Amino acid sequence: EKNKLEPIGSPEFSDVQFDPAKPLNFNVTFEVKPTFEIANYKGLSLKRKSAQVSPEEVEETLKRISLSKAQLVAVEGGEVQGGDQVLCDYQVVVNGDTIHKEEEIALWAVSGGRIGEIMVPELLKALVGAKAGDKREAKASLGAGFHIPEHRNKDATLQITVREIKRPKAPKIDDELAKQLDFPSLEALQKDVNARLEVDKKRWVEQDLQGQVYQKLLEMANFELPKDWVEHQTTRRLYRYQLELLHRGMPWEDIEKEAQRLKGASEESVIRDLKLSLMLEYIADKERLYVTEQEVEQKINELAVIYNTTPPRMRRQLEKQGTLSGLRYQLRETKVVELLLKEAKIEEEEKKQEEKKVV
């Protein structure tokens, strides 16, 4: 406190001199938070991308909607194409012996083919061009979960006999499709798609601006992080990431699995996030930006609605998971970003393009 130091990580003690008749003397070595200054965080030069929705984007979305309503239609006398469903019989052969076979199994002619625990990487290549009645072969690998223990993890040959070919047929993009989706006409459906795309694009534009703010700050980060600090803050980074997934509505079991994957993130990525975290904290302190308990309660109420629970239960869950402090930090960080965006010099990309056209 006297020297205004902020120890981080685990301290190391040495030269301990203990004598009951004398004062206790020892040396302690620890790392401290890096000190730095940021002078020009206000007035950042940013570019706001256009949020205008193009007719091509509306058309592409309508195509995807049409594909979602596709029905399988039998292909008479035709050949298998990528994306077709193929009704077939197959048998698994190992060293010349048939060890397993099935009839009338529906397979999809797609890359990275798999039949249960049987991996068939070249399934698509084997099926494309085949007609009903044709026989095809493909190399296969029997996985660790194959139902015959003595053949697990062995190489095999998959012998396939094509019985029937079915192809997804998407409905036309017309008034009839619109009525299936509870719209009176195609025009009404197009307007709805356009409106939803505008909302998504505006959200994307704001996220892009935030990303630009982060990048500008990192360009000013001319300081190094102590090794122990990097290790210590990796846990904090994990809490923040879990909180983000929680906001997106991901089940907690899946969040824990994702957290395990995150532990293997590269040190470079961790350092990047930690530097950004320190800089946002620095700006928050300098600008006296704080989070009130009322704001925390409001956020907890929002999460309670998302997870269909009560605010008290939501608070207890966050406390149990150790993410309540992370929630406060995230709210404070949001205030910093809002301030930087308010003070930034933002150039509208759409206007710039229009000026060029006029010239």
Side-chain angles (χ1 to χ4, degrees):
E1 291 178 358
K2 181 179 179 180
N3 292 282
K4 298 180 180 180
L5 298 174
E6 293 189 66
I8 54 175
S10 300
E12 294 181 3
F13 295 90
S14 61
D15 298 331
V16 180
Q17 299 173 19
F18 177 70
D19 184 337
K22 298 179 181 179
L24 175 65
N25 289 291
F26 59 88
N27 290 333
V28 57
T29 305
F30 52 82
E31 292 184 322
V32 296
K33 270 188 179 182
T35 56
F36 56 90
E37 294 287 334
I38 314 175
N40 302 315
Y41 57 83
K42 290 186 177 180
L44 298 175
S45 296
L46 310 177
K47 290 185 178 180
R48 191 195 305 274
K49 291 183 170 59
S50 172
Q52 187 174 353
V53 177
S54 69
E56 291 77 15
E57 289 172 318
V58 174
E59 188 64 27
E60 190 61 34
T61 303
L62 289 173
K63 285 180 181 178
R64 288 198 294 271
I65 292 173
S66 175
L67 284 172
S68 71
K69 296 292 181 179
Q71 294 182 338
L72 291 172
V73 178
V75 178
E76 300 294 340
E79 299 178 347
V80 176
Q81 297 178 3
D84 286 351
Q85 186 188 78
V86 182
L87 189 68
C88 63
D89 304 334
Y90 76 86
Q91 53 187 19
V92 181
V93 179
V94 177
N95 297 327
D97 297 327
T98 299
I99 62 167
H100 176 71
K101 60 182 179 180
E102 290 191 58
E103 296 181 347
E104 297 188 6
I105 300 298
L107 303 178
W108 289 96
V110 294
S111 58
R114 188 185 184 100
I115 307 172
E117 290 297 324
I118 306 172
M119 288 161 279
V120 196
E122 297 185 352
L123 181 62
L124 175 61
K125 184 178 178 180
L127 290 175
V128 168
K131 296 180 179 180
D134 286 355
K135 295 184 178 181
R136 296 293 176 92
E137 288 190 357
K139 293 180 180 179
S141 177
L142 309 181
F146 190 63
H147 69 285
I148 306 176
E150 60 267 30
H151 291 296
R152 287 173 181 169
N153 297 313
K154 286 186 177 181
D155 292 332
T157 299
L158 195 70
Q159 297 180 346
I160 305 168
T161 301
V162 177
R163 280 177 171 255
E164 186 181 9
I165 304 168
K166 291 184 178 181
R167 186 164 298 151
K169 185 178 180 181
K172 291 181 178 180
I173 302 174
D174 54 15
D175 289 342
E176 194 62 37
L177 174 63
K179 289 175 183 177
Q180 288 182 36
L181 298 167
D182 297 326
F183 288 92
S185 65
L186 176 59
E187 184 180 358
L189 174 59
Q190 289 171 326
K191 287 181 179 179
D192 181 79
V193 168
N194 191 86
R196 286 188 285 117
L197 287 175
E198 279 184 352
V199 171
D200 291 342
K201 242 188 167 180
K202 286 177 181 176
R203 186 184 300 117
W204 172 79
V205 167
E206 292 307 310
Q207 290 173 349
D208 180 72
L209 281 174
Q210 290 180 22
Q212 291 181 52
V213 168
Y214 294 152
Q215 187 57 41
K216 293 285 184 180
L217 290 178
L218 287 168
E219 290 170 4
M220 303 177 193
N222 55 354
F223 58 88
E224 297 298 323
L225 296 176
K227 192 174 293 185
D228 283 356
W229 179 236
V230 172
E231 187 175 331
H232 174 73
Q233 285 295 319
T234 299
T235 303
R236 186 174 182 178
R237 179 178 190 261
L238 179 60
Y239 283 151
R240 287 180 59 197
Y241 186 69
Q242 289 174 316
L243 194 62
E244 289 173 9
L245 296 179
L246 193 66
H247 287 174
R248 296 176 197 169
M250 181 179 284
W252 184 247
E253 297 77 16
D254 294 342
I255 291 176
E256 289 182 322
K257 291 178 184 177
E258 187 69 9
Q260 292 300 317
R261 183 197 66 78
L262 183 64
K263 286 182 180 178
S266 67
E267 186 175 291
E268 182 180 352
S269 175
V270 173
I271 289 173
R272 178 188 180 279
D273 281 1
L274 294 181
K275 282 188 174 183
L276 187 58
S277 172
L278 283 172
M279 297 179 83
L280 291 171
E281 188 175 5
Y282 168 89
I283 296 171
D285 290 340
K286 197 165 184 178
E287 297 292 332
R288 300 182 181 277
L289 299 175
Y290 302 103
V291 176
T292 65
E293 196 59 31
Q294 183 179 357
E295 290 169 328
V296 173
E297 286 300 323
Q298 183 179 345
K299 195 63 182 180
I300 290 174
N301 291 342
E302 291 174 7
L303 288 172
V305 172
I306 293 173
Y307 284 90
N308 194 27
T309 187
T310 63
R313 286 182 180 176
M314 192 73 241
R315 172 179 274 276
R316 286 196 297 270
Q317 185 179 354
L318 291 171
E319 290 173 344
K320 184 178 179 181
Q321 295 164 357
T323 54
L324 191 56
S325 60
L327 175 63
R328 289 191 177 93
Y329 179 84
Q330 189 182 59
L331 289 172
R332 196 181 190 205
E333 181 181 293
T334 299
K335 286 190 173 185
V336 174
V337 174
E338 288 174 350
L339 170 69
L340 297 181
L341 286 172
K342 182 180 178 181
E343 298 288 341
K345 297 174 183 177
I346 302 177
E347 179 183 1
E348 300 290 340
E349 190 175 89
E350 185 178 359
K351 290 182 180 179
K352 187 176 179 181
Q353 291 174 351
E354 288 175 358
E355 288 171 4
K356 283 186 177 181
K357 288 178 182 178
V358 171
V359 172

